[in-house]
Amino acid sequence: MKASIKAALISALLFPGLGHLFLRRGMRGLLFIVPTLLAAGYLLRATLALAATLVADIESGKLPLDPILILERVHSSGIDNPATNGAALICIVCWIGSVADALWLGRHR
């Protein structure tokens, strides 16, 4: 198997940019790793904050343990905002871009 295919698979299946480290293109790999880590960290922080609020409301009795009501609370929480949508878009673009770039690097070696 060619090195570019291995790098693309590593980037696709593990984490964006790791395939570039396999190809010994560390700085280029960091261009995919750092934004993805920052965006994923933001998404994780927002999700955990919302989950903590929901759990506290359920434990206090303010929110019944009803999936429909919980889903309505999630939708009304404002978690679906431009910042979270942008962070999700950054993750997707970096993931696809790192796979495509790993394949491109292999073809131009």
Side-chain angles (χ1 to χ4, degrees), residues 14-100:
L14 296 179
F15 200 81
L18 290 182
H20 290 79
L21 298 179
F22 174 76
L23 291 174
R24 301 194 190 284
R25 298 289 184 115
M27 292 305 288
R28 199 163 182 164
L30 287 177
L31 292 175
F32 294 106
I33 293 171
V34 171
T36 305
L37 278 177
L38 292 174
Y42 176 78
L43 288 172
L44 184 62
R45 189 183 68 183
T47 303
L48 290 177
L50 176 60
T53 303
L54 290 174
V55 167
D57 287 349
I58 291 170
E59 287 178 344
S60 71
K62 289 173 30 179
L63 180 65
L65 194 57
D66 180 16
I68 302 299
L69 293 176
I70 294 171
L71 185 60
E72 287 175 4
R73 179 71 65 91
V74 168
H75 285 282
S76 68
S77 71
I79 192 82
D80 187 22
N81 59 41
T84 56
N85 291 340
L89 182 64
I90 288 170
C91 287
I92 292 168
V93 167
C94 285
W95 221 296
I96 293 170
S98 71
V99 172

